[in-house]
């Protein structure tokens, strides 16, 4: 269950890809109940940032602190608190939708009963397609199965990379509702998207990655740092 | 229950659940296992076509040929260990799982061995028969393959983990893995030879066993770190 | 409109026909088998060289014949289905493959059972044996390809291409294998095949071959019925769009 | 150059996937200068429809007529008139962005000089990233290279499957402008998207695939057919 | 210029442009070609390890072993023919190209042969040397591989095209392609043997040539239809 006292701190994060410095000096405090949108043009480094927070890659500088602990040091506890959904959907062609969803939960150490899983998939409009192998699903249907974890999990910190990609209007709405429910309950959600979506939430933050592109500027210009919390 | 214990027991449950998922996938892809077997037989059958049909010579090279073919088959089935998981993003999720990654790797290797190693071990004596090996040698061959294939899977796991997402990954894996597996080949083929020439194969097989235990202990950790590196 | 409705209708018409006739072929097969077995096991004399073991010939040779014959038939149907897009032919090819593979396996198995007493080895790398083995691989390849493809239409077409390529290749393979073996020094074990076959044995073999043939027809018809039935579910509602499109 | 007299006719198209009838009785006339949005929920069959029109799969029933000729019969001429961009970007990891773009044009028998190609990529904001292998590009950057063909080609009939996926706001605008320029010149563009975008055009049509799901209904209910041209 | 002629000349220019693109890719992935060679050498070197190091026997089996290894190496490099094009959507574009698809396939096979066949042919005599083949036999080996590898590429193209996007594709390709390539193996290895035993290899090589011509004529069309089917 998301608790109301969690805090995610990003401390002077920098990201280097190949020979390029994508961003640096990215600092930010994200208290529980926040909805954080990471913005930036294509290639600004949104995906890189989310992967870094999840611990899939290491920051070139800086540290990520969760519940007052550096996530690199308390990695196994941190992993039990996060839900990361990337560009790739982690859907196996050979499995049925429900099997896929259950497998994805299993991998994360979450066990759900078949009825629970079915109920979520029904709600997401996959009711008719529950008996076909996922191979034959459309782009959006695969995304829905991947995203269904969002309805099941109890983890407080969500990292969603372009979750709305390929979803139709109705699914987008459902997902928005679920996200706002999550942050309403005291969870945290970091997400990226290029689509205009509106998610209801009391505490909306933005991390405008474009602003952190020039390391010198980001450090010296206080307005940029202020602009961080809109 | 203290949190540590609870964590441990749930880790075990998770391991079982993960194994079940992998076995379900093996079952759904069961034609793959058959394909490995057929590939194995085809490669073995290519040799007489290449080197000629003289039975005495074939009996001499039989053990070696079957072992080389087993090695190649096991290697060709390696992409199934991680590649599809990598391509569809499951691997990210595995790395982000609270479960120790080395354990996850071990489980995947176990599933892989059940799906390919055991069938290969069952098939090997049949193919040995085609080369006129005698029944002692056939037993040793089968046992050797049974003990050797987990090593192939484990070392293969390290190799595939290192080459994930690289171009030409498939061939690169072969390059990394084949040389490392030479001891297995030498011991396995040697055991068959020894059995055929009436010397006991015991020494070879126990060395193979020792190799297996060493690999079991070390490889999962190596593969786990390799996976982390590949995803970075 | 463009839709070729008989394309869908033909299998549907064929279905009851197949259902009616295939039991009869089982009956023929059983009768012929009884006659063949009788000749093989009771009428034909014991061979002075090979003893009783040679009687395996009454299964081995017909099985070997059928294995080759069925490949030709399968390739014929598959290419017909591919070139003229006739669905029934593709279904026939699909239905033949397992039976062909089964006979190939039977020939291999009985042959090696026989080889043990005859040559002292279950297997030798003789040209005939080797090409039979390759034939087995070709059958398995065809079946594996179709099994790997979920969409039946795509499976039919892919099988058609493979069978066509295979059919052109089979004679090449056959001759090259033959040539391979004769080019090398003669294998140290000489295959003494019954030189002048007694006519009673020939009869027995012919009867068994006929029986296998009838059995194949029966099995293939009933299997093709299953294939049609499976696709009928689809065809059933495909009829729905017929009134709109014609 | 797109001419003003082309006409694309879809005649009672039906699409069958596996054992499911996705849609049937889809008829529609698309004169030159039309901007056609194919709508429908996830899994309605939008991708299937575009692939069918491009000739990548065969219709279960019906025909596609272009310039009064059945496209199956005059396939090679038809191929010279269409530009199909699907979910996949056709980007080779090993090639530079410009090489990728040129290769994709080459494949289609269109030759462009290096400066032309570079100019387009610059315009799309890929200027800084022209010297790195495409492997290291972000999701959106890859899409841009794939879409750059839209700025170069002279083909009259465009089939774009979710072209806006992964693009940032600025690129979406650029693409919209280019599409409206194309249809303004007398071209035709069929596209799908789940995002709200507005593309300026005089003749906007919609193919609401959801309406063609029940074959009986689509045929009998005239309101659906009328709804076809909004 | 009449439209027909214009079309033709542009079709030729397109073919050249396509070949250049493929060769550029080969160049960028040149490590792949090296990998094929190393795989080739490793497989060949496994044999003495598996079957023992008796020189007379090695000389007897040398030609066959090198040929089998060449066959396996060529086969393992097949995924590069179409798989990456299939995965990233290039194949759709190729099928939608106004260019005849069979020509496109032919060009891709040509590029594949330049990237793998020629290196294999250059490497083969070196490996043959390790088995003590004499110089005549080495020449014949190299020439045979040079003539055989295009057949492998072409038949391989049909196989890969048929299995695109299927599970276990890699092994399935082996299953489909290896039996069809047996004549190449027999003729190639037979030529080496004939050369070594002092009989001329001419008959074998001219048969191989005939096979090559037949394959050149038929395979691109078969592969093209297979591609269309796979994308449907
Ligand atoms: C695995 C082992 C064997 C295989 C795969 C095999 C395969 C075949 C095949 C394919 C044929 C049909 C050839 C044709 O009609 O041209 C055949 C025929 C025959 N086989 Fe075998 N065979 C095997 C073992 C044996 C053995 C051990 C014997 C007895 C010594 C034997 C005796 C015969 C005879 C007598 C015929 C009929 C000869 C003829 O019609 O020309 N086979 N076998
Ligand atoms: N081989 C198959 N067997 C059964 N159903 C299939 C098969 N292939 C596709 N489908 C189904 O066909 C439908 C259409 O898929 P398509 O990709 O055309 O949808 P779409 O409208 O593009 O959806 P999206 O908005 O998610 O991209 C989906 O519901 C899918 O599940
Ligand atoms: N290995 C590398 N070498 C050089 N540059 C790289 C490398 N990997 C990534 N990049 C660059 O890093 C940048 C960040 O990529 P990232 O995927 O994080 O962007 P993004 O903000 O998620 O973009 P999008 O909106 O397109 O998804 C891109 O400009 C990319 O070109
Ligand atoms: Mg991104
Ligand atoms: Mg789609």
């Amino acid at each position: 269950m998301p608790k109301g006292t969690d805090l995610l701190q990003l401390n002077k994060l920098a990201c280097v890809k190949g020979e390029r410095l994508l961003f640096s000096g990215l600092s930010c405090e994200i208290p529980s109940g926040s909805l954080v949108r990471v913005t930036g043009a294509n290639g600004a480094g949104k995906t890189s940032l989310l992967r870094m927070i999840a611990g899939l890659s290491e920051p070139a500088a800086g540290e990520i602190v969760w519940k007052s602990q550096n996530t690199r040091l308390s990695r196994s506890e941190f992993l039990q608190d996060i839900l990361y959904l990337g560009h790739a959907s982690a859907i196996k062609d050979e499995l049925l939708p429900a099997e896929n969803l259950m497998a994805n939960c299993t991998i994360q150490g979450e066990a759900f009963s078949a009825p629970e899983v079915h109920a979520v998939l029904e709600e997401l409009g996959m009711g008719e397609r529950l008996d076909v192998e996922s191979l034959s699903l459309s782009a959006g249907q695969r995304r829905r199965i991947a995203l269904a974890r969002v309805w099941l999990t109890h983890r407080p910190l969500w990292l969603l990379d372009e979750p709305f990609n390929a979803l139709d209007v109705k699914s987008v709405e459902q997902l928005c509702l679920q996200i706002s429910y999550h942050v309403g309950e005291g969870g945290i959600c970091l997400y990226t998207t290029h689509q205009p979506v509106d998610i209801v939430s009391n505490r909306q933050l933005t991390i405008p990655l474009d602003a952190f592109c020039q390391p010198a500027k980001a450090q010296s210009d206080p307005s940029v740092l202020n602009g961080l919390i809109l | 229950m203290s949190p540590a214990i609870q964590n441990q027991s749930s880790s075990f449950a998770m391991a079982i659940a993960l194994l079940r998922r992998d076995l379900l996938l093996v079952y759904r892809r069961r034609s793959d296992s058959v394909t490995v077997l057929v590939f194995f037989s085809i490669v073995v059958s290519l040799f007489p076509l290449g080197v000629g049909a003289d039975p005495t010579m074939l009996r001499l090279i039989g053990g070696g040929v079957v072992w080389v073919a087993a090695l190649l088959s096991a290697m060709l089935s390696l992409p199934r260990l991680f590649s599809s998981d990598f391509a569809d993003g499951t691997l990210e999720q595995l790395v982000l799982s609270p479960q120790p990654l080395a354990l996850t790797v071990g489980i995947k290797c176990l599933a892989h061995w059940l799906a390919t190693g055991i069938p290969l071990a069952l098939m090997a004596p049949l193919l040995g028969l085609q080369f006129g090996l005698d029944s002692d040698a056939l037993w040793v061959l089968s046992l050797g393959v049974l003990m050797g294939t987990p090593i192939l899977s484990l070392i293969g796991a390290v190799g595939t983990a290192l080459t994930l997402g690289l171009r030409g990954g498939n061939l690169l894996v072969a390059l990394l893995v084949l040389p490392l597996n030479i001891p297995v080949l030498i011991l396995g083929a040697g055991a068959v030879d020894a059995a055929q020439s009436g010397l006991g194969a015991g020494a070879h097989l126990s060395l193979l066993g020792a190799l297996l235990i060493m690999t079991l202990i070390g490889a999962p950790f190596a593969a786990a770190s390799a996976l982390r590196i590949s995803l970075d | 409109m463009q839709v070729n409705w008989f394309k869908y209708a033909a299998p549907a018409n064929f279905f009851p026909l197949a259902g009616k006739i295939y039991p009869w072929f089982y009956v023929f097969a059983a009768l012929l088998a009884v006659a063949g077995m009788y000749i093989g096991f009771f009428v034909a004399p014991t061979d002075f060289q090979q003893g009783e073991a040679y009687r395996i010939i009454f299964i081995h040779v017909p099985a070997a014949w059928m294995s080759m014959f069925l490949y030709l038939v399968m390739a014929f149907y598959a290419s017909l289905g591919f070139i003229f897009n006739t669905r029934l032919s593709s279904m026939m090819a699909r239905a033949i493959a397992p039976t062909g593979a089964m006979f190939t396996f039977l020939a291999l198995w009985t042959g090696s059972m026989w080889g043990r007493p005859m040559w002292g080895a279950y297997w030798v790398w003789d040209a005939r044996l080797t090409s039979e083995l390759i034939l087995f691989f070709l059958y398995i390849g065809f079946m594996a390809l179709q099994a790997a493809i979920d969409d039946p239409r795509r499976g039919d077409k892919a099988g058609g291409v493979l069978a066509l390529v295979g059919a052109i290749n089979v004679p090449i393979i056959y001759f090259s294998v033959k040539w391979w073996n004769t080019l090398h020094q003669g294998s140290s074990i000489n295959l003494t095949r019954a030189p002048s076959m007694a006519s009673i044995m020939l009869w027995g073999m012919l009867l068994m071959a006929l029986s296998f043939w009838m059995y194949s027809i029966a099995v293939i018809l009933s299997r093709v019925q299953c294939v049609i039935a499976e696709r009928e579910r689809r065809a059933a509602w495909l009829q729905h769009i017929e009134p709109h499109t014609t």
Side-chain angles (χ1 to χ4, degrees), chain B:
Chain B
M1 221 183 328
S2 87
I5 292 180
Q6 185 195 348
N7 212 358
Q8 263 198 338
S9 88
S10 96
S11 168
F12 181 72
M14 239 161 103
I16 295 290
L18 207 61
L19 184 61
R20 276 184 47 198
R21 162 186 173 273
D22 275 10
L23 289 180
L24 178 63
L25 276 173
V26 165
Y27 172 72
R28 287 278 157 79
R29 297 170 180 169
R30 56 195 174 277
S31 64
D32 278 10
S33 300
V34 179
T35 316
V36 175
L37 285 185
V38 181
F39 177 80
F40 184 34
S41 347
I42 293 181
V43 171
V44 169
S45 317
L46 287 180
F47 277 94
L49 292 172
V51 304
D54 178 22
T56 42
M57 185 182 59
L58 288 181
R59 186 153 43 241
L60 274 178
I61 66 171
V65 166
V66 174
W67 257 101
V68 172
L71 190 59
L72 291 175
S73 318
M75 202 206 61
L76 265 187
S77 70
L78 282 180
R80 281 190 276 144
L81 253 180
F82 298 125
S83 307
S84 80
D85 282 347
F86 177 70
D88 67 16
T90 306
L91 207 54
E92 282 175 359
Q93 297 294 337
L94 285 172
V95 170
L96 291 180
S97 155
Q99 172 111 327
L101 191 52
L103 182 58
T104 313
V105 169
I107 288 169
K108 289 193 85 69
C109 288
L110 176 60
H112 182 255
W113 177 69
L114 290 174
T116 61
I118 291 194
L120 285 180
L122 294 178
M123 189 77 178
L126 261 183
L127 297 176
L129 211 56
Q130 288 192 320
F131 285 78
L133 299 187
D134 56 38
S135 75
D136 266 6
L138 291 178
W139 275 109
V140 170
L141 178 63
S142 183
L143 193 63
V145 174
L146 200 67
M147 289 166 65
T149 38
I151 308 184
L152 305 185
S153 295
L154 285 163
I155 294 187
V158 182
T160 23
L162 281 173
T163 58
L164 280 177
L166 301 185
R167 323 177 192 133
N170 247 349
L171 273 167
L172 206 55
V173 171
L175 222 59
L176 294 179
V177 164
L178 284 183
L180 287 179
N181 280 330
I182 285 178
V184 180
L185 173 68
I186 291 178
L187 290 175
V192 178
D193 266 7
Q196 220 169 359
S197 58
L199 315 165
H204 287 92
L205 289 182
S206 40
L207 274 175
L208 203 57
L211 206 59
L212 173 58
I213 292 172
M214 269 179 50
T215 324
L216 265 177
I217 295 173
F221 294 95
S225 358
L227 281 182
R228 287 228 177 74
I229 294 168
S230 289
L231 280 181
D232 196 347

Side-chain angles (χ1 to χ4, degrees), chain C residues 134-215:
Chain C
I134 297 171
L135 186 66
F136 187 59
F137 291 146
L138 289 178
Y139 272 120
I140 299 282
F142 183 85
M143 285 160 57
L145 180 64
Q146 293 208 320
I149 302 177
D150 293 325
D151 182 5
R153 232 176 25 148
R154 182 182 160 189
D156 284 348
K157 288 186 191 166
V161 172
L162 183 65
L164 203 63
V165 173
I168 295 168
N169 247 292
V170 161
I172 298 175
I173 293 174
Y174 182 75
F175 284 113
S176 65
V177 171
K178 225 173 166 154
W179 201 39
W180 156 72
N181 195 264
T182 46
L183 264 191
H184 282 273
Q185 85 283 20
S187 101
S188 53
I189 299 158
N190 226 337
L191 308 181
T192 45
R193 300 225 154 131
S196 58
M197 230 178 275
S199 70
I200 188 72
M201 281 173 59
L202 190 64
W203 269 108
M205 268 163 36
L206 280 179
L207 281 177
M208 285 307 287
L210 260 179
S211 157
F212 282 5
W213 195 2
M214 295 298 125
Y215 165 80

Side-chain angles (χ1 to χ4, degrees), chain A residues 34-200:
Chain A
S34 314
L35 177 65
V36 186
R37 178 165 181 162
V38 182
T39 64
N42 287 141
K46 301 179 292 301
T47 300
S48 310
L49 175 63
L50 290 190
R51 287 175 66 90
M52 198 180 272
I53 296 177
L56 285 171
S57 63
E58 284 191 14
E63 53 176 12
I64 298 146
V65 177
W66 171 248
K67 295 181 178 171
S68 338
Q69 284 192 297
N70 186 326
T71 56
R72 278 173 66 187
L73 304 179
S74 61
R75 182 145 178 77
S76 65
E77 291 103 68
F78 181 59
L79 286 179
Q80 292 187 337
D81 282 347
I82 63 166
L83 170 77
Y84 170 85
L85 296 177
H87 279 281
S89 298
I91 301 299
K92 291 272 166 236
D93 285 348
E94 296 85 359
L95 299 183
L96 305 180
E99 288 169 343
N100 259 314
L101 178 52
M102 271 164 121
N104 283 353
C105 294
T106 299
I107 288 174
Q108 293 298 335
E110 301 167 316
F112 299 99
S113 67
E116 280 174 296
V117 163
H118 276 112
V120 170
L121 289 176
E122 297 268 349
E123 199 186 316
L124 290 175
M126 297 290 301
E128 292 175 42
R129 316 255 60 205
L130 284 180
D131 53 349
V132 295
E133 295 195 353
S134 307
L135 174 67
S136 56
L137 296 181
S138 79
Q141 289 167 337
R142 292 168 155 261
R143 288 294 296 167
R144 291 192 206 172
I145 300 175
L147 289 167
R149 270 189 63 206
V150 153
W151 272 261
L152 290 169
T153 191
H154 294 298
R155 300 187 168 183
L157 176 56
W158 292 2
L159 306 167
L160 311 179
D161 196 6
E162 309 214 18
F164 303 109
N165 250 4
L167 289 188
D168 60 13
V169 183
K170 188 167 155 248
S171 315
V172 169
E173 267 169 27
Q174 286 180 308
L175 183 56
C176 288
L177 269 178
Q178 183 63 16
I179 292 178
S180 58
Y181 173 76
H182 173 67
V183 293
E185 292 277 291
I188 296 179
C189 177
L190 272 82
Y191 72 106
T192 72
T193 187
H194 296 293
Q195 273 173 259
V197 289
D198 59 340
I199 307 178
V200 183

Side-chain angles (χ1 to χ4, degrees), chain A residues 10-15 23-27 49 52 59 61-64:
Chain A
L10 308 182
N11 268 346
K12 302 200 174 137
L13 283 184
C15 174
F23 54 80
S24 68
L26 175 67
S27 299
L49 175 63
M52 198 180 272
E63 53 176 12
I64 298 146

